Amino acid sequence: MDWIGKDWRGSAWQARPQTNIINQEVVSMVYRFKNGSMIKASAQVAGEMCDRLSKEEGGLTPKRLLDANRDENAPLHNEFEWNDLIAAEAYRENQAAHIIRCLVIEPEQNLEEKPSRAFVRVTEEKHSYTPLRVVMEHPDMMKILMENAKRDMQYFIDKYQALGELEKVINSMNEVLEEAS
């Protein structure tokens, strides 16, 4: 599906199936969103737009992607919250979540021990965190935390499997995932 329109500067452009030349072969780029994504827009159109922005001066940044979709007819326009009151509150909630995720516990006595996260997410409720010490005392919460760890390992594998330098790490993660299933 082609999308024809104008970007935030008024420049006309059209989204078409993306192709790249790799080793003298024309390769079509097929984009999709990661599993669990809540994005309703076409992944193909979004990927092509991001690719186009990455080739322009300044490269691909969240600000440039946002600016390219300010027009109500832009393909990703509806993926953004345009009500400033709602958007401002959501931004502050993200800042608060960032603070929570950045807190670590420093070991007091064992200097060889490394710092660990102070709070972790063990519920499906967005931005709900529990102290790690509490999670460690409840087997049901530990099970959820382990499932989260396995999910994160799978994300890491999916993201970096093309890097040969990480083959040993990825193989080890795959072994852990196989043992856990």
Side-chain angles (χ1 to χ4, degrees):
M1 165 174 97
D2 290 356
W3 183 84
I4 301 171
K6 293 184 178 185
D7 67 13
W8 67 281
R9 296 168 300 200
S11 301
W13 69 280
Q14 181 174 3
R16 297 181 184 277
Q18 182 72 32
T19 58
N20 286 326
I21 298 175
I22 300 174
N23 297 330
Q24 307 301 323
E25 288 183 48
V26 176
V27 179
S28 290
M29 300 296 291
V30 177
Y31 295 99
R32 71 173 179 81
F33 290 116
K34 293 192 298 187
N35 292 338
S37 166
M38 305 291 271
I39 302 167
K40 294 181 177 94
S42 162
Q44 190 65 34
V45 170
E48 291 167 11
M49 178 182 272
C50 289
D51 187 61
R52 181 180 59 83
L53 290 170
S54 75
K55 293 173 183 172
E56 293 178 0
E57 187 173 331
L60 175 63
T61 65
K63 170 85 170 116
R64 294 194 70 227
L65 182 63
L66 174 65
D67 287 344
N69 287 282
R70 288 187 187 280
D71 184 282
E72 289 182 15
N73 295 317
L76 302 179
H77 180 81
N78 291 333
E79 297 301 326
F80 298 95
E81 177 57 64
W82 297 104
N83 179 315
D84 287 345
L85 291 175
I86 295 171
E89 186 66 14
Y91 181 75
R92 286 187 287 273
E93 286 179 16
N94 281 331
Q95 288 176 311
H98 177 73
I99 291 169
I100 294 167
R101 288 190 307 268
C102 288
L103 286 169
V104 295
I105 299 170
E106 287 283 343
E108 288 184 35
Q109 297 171 357
N110 185 352
L111 298 179
E112 293 179 17
E113 223 178 286
K114 295 185 180 190
S116 60
R117 295 249 329 244
F119 301 91
V120 293
R121 210 179 95 208
V122 290
T123 66
E124 293 301 315
E125 187 178 326
K126 191 176 181 183
H127 298 309
S128 177
Y129 297 87
T130 304
L132 181 60
R133 63 180 157 62
V134 172
V135 172
M136 302 287 274
E137 296 169 358
H138 293 87
D140 56 327
M141 289 184 183
M142 275 299 294
K143 183 178 178 184
I144 294 169
L145 187 60
M146 287 301 296
E147 289 299 318
N148 291 348
K150 290 187 278 185
R151 183 197 65 225
D152 290 348
M153 281 191 276
Q154 189 61 57
Y155 285 157
F156 181 92
I157 292 167
D158 293 346
K159 184 174 183 178
Y160 296 111
Q161 65 187 347
L163 300 178
E165 295 88 343
L166 295 176
E167 183 178 6
K168 289 180 182 177
V169 172
I170 289 172
N171 287 342
S172 295
M173 287 181 166
N174 277 322
E175 286 178 24
V176 170
L177 291 173
E178 287 173 18
E179 290 173 11
S181 17

